[in-house]
Amino acid sequence: MNNPPFHDPEHGQQGSFLRPESETLSEKLLDGLRTSVIFFNTEGVVLRTNASAREDLHANEELTGRRLSELLTLACRNENILPGMLARFEDGLTEEVELPRDTFMRTTDGNAQFFVVGGITRLGDDEFIMSFRNTVDELTQEYMLKMALSSTKIFPWFYDMARQTMVIDPRYFDYTGIVSPDCTMSLEQFADRIHPEDREAMFNAFDMQLHGSHYPYPVPFRLRRGDDRYEWFEGQSTYLGQVEGIPYRVVGICMSTQAHKDIEDSLRAARDKAEQSDRLKSAFLSNMSHEIRTPLNAIVGFSNLLAGAESDLNTGDAREYAALISKNCDHLLLLVSDILDLSRIETDTMEYNFAAYSLGQILTDLYEDQMTAVPEGVDFNLLLPPCDVMIETDIVRLRQVVGNLLGNAFKFTSRGHVDLGYTLDRESWTVRLFVEDTGRGIPADQYGKIFERFYKVDSFVQGAGLGLSICKILSERLGGRIDVCSQVAQGSRFTLALPLLRQGKHPISNILNHE
Ligand code: ADP
C-alpha cells in the first residue's frame, strides 16, 4: 500500500501528525458535513475522507492510501461506471461529472451498499473529490409514498410563490385529462376549472393559507375535467414555514371524492326507494281495504236482498240486483288481476309473446268489445287512418293497456265523446295510438304523478290507482311510451307511441293498404 502524504504511522490517523491549525479546522469542517466526501489523486488513490463517507462505507480500516477502484464500485444498469467516470477527466478539461440517477454504490468488501446521488469534481491538477449522499431512506420514502398514492386518487401539489403557479402531481393531469406539458397551472387556470358555485369557498380557504392563517379543513369542489365533465374533489392544504408572516410554501393534496359521492347518491336513492316502498305499502293497504270492501259490501248486500226477499222482488229488480252483483264482481276481478300483474312485473316474470298483427283490427276488436261499457250520453268513436299497418307486438298486453285507457276515459267522462284511434308517423315508423275524452281532465301538475302506483287525483273515485302505473311499464316493455295531455273540465288525451317493429325489418312492408 502506498503511503499517503499525510499518513501518521504512529496513530494510523490521517493528518494528525504535525498538522497545522488550518488542517485541523478543515478536517473539522469536512467531518461536520452531512455529505460524504472522498478526496483522491490522478492515480485514483484516496487522499482523505470525511466522517460521513467513512460511516456510509462502514470503513473499519484506514481508507486513505487505498485505490478508489479497489474500495468501491458504482453500479448503474448492471455496469460499474466508476472507471468510465474517472477516464472522462483524462482530457484535462472536464471539471465535473455527475452520478447518473439510480447509481448504486457498493464497497468491494461487501460491507455497504446503497443508492447515491452526487458526482466527481476536479479540485486542482492532481486532486479530485467525490461527493455523495446515501439516498436509500429518501428513495424508500419516495417509493412508499408513490406506492400509496398510486392506488388512490390523491394528488399532491404545491404553490410556487415566486412563479405564482400551482405545481401538481403529473398523475393528476393523466387522471383528469387536463393538458399541461409542465404539470403546472396558474391560479386563473385552476379557478376556471372549478365549478362557479364552489369557487368562492375554495379560494377563500386558499387565500387564508396564502396569508399565513392556517386552514386545515377539507374543501369540497367540482372540477371541470379535460372532457368538460364535472367531478367532485376535495382539497386540503397547509404551509411550510413562514417568512415575515407569509408562508414560505403552500402544499396540499386534492382528492377525487366522486366514488364516495356516487355511493352516497346510490345509498340516498336506496333510502328514498325504501321510504317510498313504505309509503306505497301504506297506500296499498288503505286503498285495497277500501277497494275490496266497497264491491264486497255491494255483492253481499244485493245477494242478501235476492236471497231474503224473493217473494217481494219483481223480475226487473232481480235483474238489476244481479247486474250490480256482476258489476262489482268484475271490479274485484279487475283489482285482483291488477295486483297479480303488478307482482309479475315486480318479479319480472311476466311473459311477452311478440307477433305481427293488423293494428286496425286490434283497435276495431277493442272498440266492439268496449261498446257495452260506454256511459250514457257519451259517443264512442273509432278513428282509423285510411291505410292500416302491421305491428309487431304482444297483443294481450297491448289490449290490456288500451283497454285500461278506455276504462279510465269512460270512468271520468259523463258527456261528449271518447275517441279511439291511431296515427302513423312515417318518418320515425312509429304509430301513436290515442284515447281521447271530453271528461273531467287532469291538472297539469299531476301528469307525472298519475303514472305512479296507487296515485289517484280524486281519492273518492273508485279505483286502486294501479291501472296507469301498469300501463306505463307495459308500454315500455312493448318498446313504446305513454304520455298524457289534458285540460281540467275539457278532457284528456292519452297517447301510446309504439314502434312498428321490434327489430330492424324494412318498415315499408308494414303498410297494408296504400292510399
Ligand atoms: P285506477 O286504476 O284507479 O283508475 P289509474 O292509475 O288508472 O287508477 O289512474 C290514476 C288516476 O289518474 C285516476 O285516479 C284519475 O285521477 C286520473 N285519471 C286517469 N285517467 C283519467 C282520465 N281519462 N280523465 C281524468 N282523470 C284520469
Side-chain angles (χ1 to χ4, degrees):
M1 185 166 81
N2 294 344
N3 268 353
F6 339 99
H7 190 68
D8 170 3
E10 215 166 289
H11 298 91
Q13 286 244 327
Q14 170 190 338
S16 60
F17 180 60
L18 289 178
R19 190 188 302 131
E21 274 304 298
S22 61
E23 194 76 13
T24 320
L25 185 66
S26 70
E27 192 162 304
K28 271 189 174 168
L29 272 173
L30 286 177
D31 283 348
L33 283 181
R34 297 265 170 98
T35 305
S36 302
V37 289
I38 301 175
F39 293 81
F40 59 95
N41 63 16
T42 331
E43 278 78 45
V45 176
V46 174
L47 303 174
R48 192 196 285 200
T49 55
N50 74 345
S52 171
R54 291 191 292 276
E55 195 181 315
D56 272 346
L57 298 176
H58 293 187
N60 299 324
E61 51 187 52
E62 182 56 68
L63 301 177
T64 306
R66 295 183 58 187
R67 279 187 175 280
L68 197 57
S69 53
E70 285 166 8
L71 210 58
L72 53 91
T73 57
L74 290 174
C76 183
R77 290 184 205 97
N78 291 328
E79 195 190 319
N80 181 13
I81 57 168
L82 181 59
M85 286 179 76
L86 295 178
R88 286 177 59 186
F89 288 95
E90 282 168 12
D91 60 7
L93 300 168
T94 304
E95 290 294 323
E96 192 172 349
V97 177
E98 214 176 296
L99 292 176
R101 206 184 134 78
D102 291 337
T103 299
F104 194 65
M105 184 177 278
R106 186 183 287 133
T107 57
T108 42
D109 59 14
N111 280 346
Q113 44 188 359
F114 47 89
F115 282 101
V116 278
V117 292
I120 299 175
T121 311
R122 183 194 295 277
L123 282 186
D125 288 345
D126 190 28
E127 202 165 320
F128 300 90
I129 177 173
M130 176 191 275
S131 54
F132 59 90
R133 199 160 48 78
N134 179 339
T135 57
V136 168
D137 287 345
E138 267 168 50
L139 280 179
T140 309
Q141 297 283 348
E142 193 183 311
Y143 274 79
M144 273 164 46
L145 185 67
K146 258 192 195 159
M147 237 174 84
L149 288 179
S150 68
S151 51
T152 66
K153 289 173 187 169
I154 300 175
F155 309 102
W157 56 268
F158 69 86
Y159 183 64
D160 186 329
M161 310 286 260
R163 289 194 297 153
Q164 301 203 336
T165 310
M166 297 184 68
V167 182
I168 315 176
D169 185 340
R171 290 164 47 247
Y172 170 86
F173 295 97
D174 291 343
Y175 177 71
T176 58
I178 296 171
V179 180
S180 169
D182 59 352
C183 299
T184 64
M185 276 175 114
S186 69
L187 278 188
E188 290 72 31
Q189 286 170 326
F190 191 61
D192 180 53
R193 295 229 160 240
I194 293 181
H195 194 285
E197 286 169 19
D198 307 330
R199 226 170 261 163
E200 194 181 334
M202 177 80 205
F203 278 89
N204 280 347
F206 189 66
D207 207 47
M208 281 178 78
Q209 212 72 270
L210 270 187
H211 290 91
S213 319
H214 191 44
Y215 189 87
Y217 314 104
V219 184
F221 64 95
R222 278 158 288 179
L223 181 93
R224 190 164 49 81
R225 296 170 50 98
D227 58 8
D228 284 343
R229 275 187 305 121
Y230 277 103
E231 175 164 337
W232 276 103
F233 274 81
E234 216 167 73
Q236 207 167 351
S237 63
T238 186
Y239 54 77
L240 302 179
Q242 281 212 8
V243 185
E244 291 166 1
I246 303 293
Y248 173 72
R249 176 167 277 184
V250 177
V251 297
I253 53 163
C254 58
M255 173 171 82
S256 167
T257 53
Q258 190 59 51
H260 303 151
K261 287 271 179 204
D262 291 345
I263 293 171
E264 236 174 77
D265 287 350
S266 59
L267 286 178
R268 199 172 295 126
R271 184 202 61 196
D272 291 349
K273 205 171 161 195
E275 282 177 4
Q276 197 203 15
S277 294
D278 203 41
R279 277 198 303 274
L280 287 177
K281 193 186 75 189
S282 310
F284 175 78
L285 290 177
S286 88
N287 272 2
M288 281 311 121
S289 54
H290 178 258
E291 291 305 315
I292 292 171
R293 215 180 298 135
T294 314
L296 262 186
N297 278 343
I299 293 167
V300 172
F302 288 114
S303 305
N304 284 344
L305 276 178
L306 277 177
E310 250 172 282
S311 49
D312 303 338
L313 276 180
N314 61 40
T315 333
D317 286 345
R319 270 211 197 100
E320 193 187 332
Y321 295 167
L324 284 168
I325 291 172
S326 161
K327 189 178 154 201
N328 281 290
C329 282
D330 286 348
H331 276 312
L332 277 182
L333 270 178
L334 192 71
L335 189 67
V336 171
S337 91
D338 272 359
I339 293 169
L340 286 179
D341 279 351
L342 191 68
S343 132
R344 278 190 285 171
I345 287 171
E346 295 261 286
T347 52
D348 213 8
T349 50
M350 189 170 261
E351 282 183 13
Y352 300 88
N353 299 306
F354 281 81
Y357 299 95
S358 145
L359 186 56
Q361 195 56 55
I362 296 178
L363 295 196
T364 308
D365 291 347
L366 264 166
Y367 175 76
E368 284 166 4
D369 291 351
Q370 295 280 339
M371 269 303 193
T372 50
V374 184
E376 251 184 57
V378 175
D379 291 332
F380 185 27
N381 308 309
L382 179 65
L383 307 175
L384 296 179
C387 61
D388 192 15
V389 290
M390 291 294 282
I391 183 164
E392 198 179 5
T393 192
D394 178 318
I395 191 167
V396 178
R397 299 302 157 203
L398 181 59
R399 280 180 62 99
Q400 185 177 350
V401 173
V402 182
N404 230 314
L405 296 179
L406 285 172
N408 278 346
F410 296 146
K411 187 157 63 176
F412 295 104
T413 310
S414 50
R415 58 182 172 78
H417 64 257
V418 171
D419 292 344
L420 167 68
Y422 77 90
T423 59
L424 170 66
D425 180 350
R426 284 171 191 253
E427 267 184 28
S428 58
W429 292 102
T430 322
V431 280
R432 290 183 208 288
L433 281 71
F434 60 84
V435 173
E436 188 181 288
D437 64 56
T438 51
R440 66 159 67 175
I442 302 157
D445 61 345
Q446 313 273 316
Y447 288 178
K449 290 189 182 149
I450 56 172
F451 294 101
E452 287 173 12
R453 274 179 245 164
F454 307 116
Y455 189 82
K456 300 200 298 188
V457 177
D458 179 352
S459 55
F460 292 108
V461 176
Q462 193 178 35
L466 280 178
L468 286 181
S469 63
I470 294 175
C471 285
K472 182 170 184 273
I473 300 173
L474 289 182
S475 316
E476 284 162 7
R477 298 286 194 275
L478 296 180
R481 175 196 158 90
I482 193 163
D483 278 305
V484 64
C485 176
S486 180
Q487 222 175 345
V488 176
Q490 299 291 310
S492 313
R493 184 181 171 101
F494 283 84
T495 314
L496 169 62
L498 285 175
L500 280 181
L501 292 169
R502 277 202 312 156
Q503 291 116 7
K505 290 183 208 158
H506 201 288
I508 207 83
S509 62
N510 284 45
I511 308 290
L512 293 180
N513 316 315
H514 289 283
E515 309 95 305

